[in-house]
Amino acid sequence: MVHLAQRLARIKPSPTMAITAMAADLKAAGKDVIGLGAGEPDFDTPDTVKAAGIEAIESGLTKYTRVDGLPALKQAVARKFARENGLDYAPEQISVGSGAKHVLFNALMAGIDPGDEVIVPAPYWVSYPDMVVLAEGVPVIVPTTEADGFKLRPEALAAAITPKTRWLMFNSPSNPTGAAYTRDEMAAIAAVLVDHPQVGVLADDIYEHLVYDDFRFHTMAEVEPRLYERTITINGVSKAYAMTGWRIGFAGGPADMIKGMAKIQSQSTSNPSSISQHAAIAALDGPQDSIPERRSVFQERRDLVVGMLNEADGIECAMPEGAFYVYPSCAGMIGRRTPGGETLANDEDVARYLLEAEGVAVVFGAAFGLEPYFRISYATSTEALTEACARIPRAAGRLS
């Protein structure tokens, strides 16, 4: 029998992937299921980007590249950071990996010693704590509240910092809540960090272009230049350009940290797909008109989902500023009984009930570190969302 490493017992599989797989299995068995678990745009990759990938294949650009990215892609990333974020990074300050998740993993592996602490505001993207654990760090979970818009308070951050703190995981707009920090809110967080020189920032900006109404996106190193040398600014092409399967993420940061991340990558995956890299250059340097067009559709879907969910008995849904998620409270459903006689004890029970009763797959809030909520991704068709958000109130209305 093969030996399984002890580290496997310290981490858990991704609940979002598990829900997606469960919904797929039910669909395969013939059940009418609407999956609202995956954070993946339903739009297609822009034609100009697809054409660049095809051209790379036909031109024979299918060989190994530099470990952490083609020089041309690093230059395109540098232009993006300067153009959209007011951040200047030299090529040696830029890392390219197989998705933003990969880049973040490299940063943690390169930036954590055993026992180092990483502050993770909750609710959090499900992978954050487990990636910290895999890097032999200690995730320090700091809960937020709906009353504060699911945003980290400066005083809560200050209370969580210890001599062992090395990083703050900072995701705006947020997965799973869609919460986004204003410039002033971000400056208040930065003011705390300025006084703790041992603490860096892992700024996960992957939903940068998905903000709504009149909200303006900001990133930490832009808001507080004194944190520039302590911030890894992480982004990618997956969400803004509907390129999830192309697997290209990138980061800008201090040259020594970027070099360390490349060292990790050189002994794990080596370079990202050469074809995807050429497509990413076309995405970053090419026409950007698809972004506002699709953002407008996402905003319409957000408004639809929030409005319909707030019609449901026992559900309250706040209006998020960004991303493509809502994080409604299901506190009013907890303790109630299903038609089958089961008492819903927690948000996992609620999610299971919605799937079994009405074929709607959502992800329960405990997976993200804050109960009793569930996450809906509205990165799916308006037709499917409309049907799903009709089914959810119907299921809630059958509780007693």
Side-chain angles (χ1 to χ4, degrees):
M1 180 180 294
V2 297
H3 170 74
L4 295 178
Q6 292 182 2
R7 71 174 64 89
L8 291 176
R10 298 196 293 269
I11 63 172
K12 54 188 179 297
S14 167
T16 53
M17 296 298 184
I19 287 290
T20 301
M22 188 184 305
D25 289 344
L26 288 171
K27 278 185 179 180
K31 188 173 179 64
D32 178 18
V33 175
I34 301 174
L36 303 178
E40 181 172 49
D42 59 313
F43 300 110
D44 197 8
T45 301
D47 288 343
T48 53
V49 178
K50 290 192 288 185
I54 293 168
E55 183 181 353
I57 294 171
E58 293 179 340
S59 300
L61 301 175
T62 56
K63 307 298 184 183
Y64 292 132
T65 72
R66 288 180 54 170
V67 164
D68 62 343
L70 288 162
L73 179 52
K74 288 193 173 193
Q75 290 162 7
V77 170
R79 288 191 291 272
K80 173 262 180 291
F81 279 131
R83 179 178 69 244
E84 297 180 347
N85 308 115
L87 295 174
D88 291 325
Y89 290 115
E92 62 269 20
Q93 292 179 277
I94 290 172
S95 177
V96 180
S98 298
K101 186 175 190 175
H102 181 214
V103 174
L104 178 57
F105 184 84
N106 287 343
L108 288 167
M109 292 296 290
I112 293 179
D113 285 320
D116 283 348
E117 296 174 353
V118 178
I119 294 174
V120 182
Y124 44 71
W125 180 40
V126 294
S127 294
Y128 287 157
D130 287 314
M131 285 196 285
V132 172
V133 170
L134 280 171
E136 298 187 79
V138 179
V140 177
I141 310 302
V142 180
T144 65
T145 67
E146 187 174 354
D148 288 329
F150 299 114
K151 299 175 190 178
L152 178 65
R153 300 289 301 168
E155 54 268 28
L157 171 61
I161 293 174
T162 75
K164 291 185 177 181
T165 306
R166 293 294 173 265
W167 298 96
L168 165 66
M169 199 79 75
F170 195 80
N171 179 210
S172 174
S174 158
N175 177 2
T177 66
Y181 290 73
T182 66
R183 185 182 185 92
D184 287 346
E185 289 168 338
M186 199 171 286
I189 296 294
V192 174
L193 297 173
V194 164
D195 293 332
H196 296 276
Q198 86 279 14
V199 183
V201 181
L202 294 169
D204 183 350
D205 294 351
I206 194 66
Y207 297 99
E208 169 186 8
H209 289 295
L210 298 177
V211 292
Y212 309 116
D213 304 314
D214 296 321
F215 191 91
R216 184 177 175 186
F217 172 84
H218 295 281
T219 191
M220 189 64 78
E222 165 220 347
V223 169
E224 179 49 82
R226 287 178 292 178
L227 294 180
Y228 173 85
E229 288 294 338
R230 286 196 263 151
T231 300
I232 311 297
T233 306
I234 300 163
N235 213 315
V237 296
S238 292
K239 313 299 184 180
Y241 302 98
M243 294 176 65
T244 50
W246 296 80
R247 308 311 302 136
I248 294 292
F250 50 79
D256 56 347
M257 182 68 176
I258 296 299
K259 184 178 180 180
M261 291 163 63
K263 190 174 184 180
I264 296 290
Q265 191 162 308
S266 73
Q267 298 294 0
S268 55
T269 64
S270 195
N271 65 275
S273 161
S274 61
I275 299 157
S276 297
Q277 289 190 65
H278 285 284
I281 295 170
L284 295 172
D285 283 346
Q288 304 293 303
D289 52 302
S290 67
I291 293 177
E293 292 170 1
R294 295 173 178 188
R295 181 168 56 227
S296 178
V297 174
F298 279 133
Q299 181 169 329
E300 291 173 3
R301 292 175 178 175
R302 176 201 65 167
D303 295 347
L304 169 74
V305 170
V306 171
M308 293 187 73
L309 288 178
N310 280 323
E311 300 279 325
D313 182 23
I315 294 176
E316 295 182 1
C317 186
M319 183 71 78
E321 295 94 346
F324 40 58
Y325 309 104
V326 293
Y327 199 64
S329 167
C330 56
M333 298 175 71
I334 305 300
R336 298 171 68 182
R337 294 176 70 83
T338 71
E342 177 191 1
T343 299
L344 301 179
N346 51 44
D347 53 26
E348 186 171 1
D349 285 349
V350 170
R352 187 180 300 109
Y353 170 62
L354 292 177
L355 183 58
E356 293 173 351
E358 287 288 349
V360 178
V362 302
V363 187
F364 56 92
F368 305 102
L370 191 68
E371 305 177 64
Y373 296 86
F374 59 89
R375 190 193 77 172
I376 282 177
S377 166
Y378 52 88
T380 190
S381 74
T382 302
E383 180 183 12
L385 288 168
T386 302
E387 174 63 21
C389 291
R391 294 183 186 186
I392 291 171
R394 193 162 65 215
R398 291 203 295 268
L399 299 174
S400 60

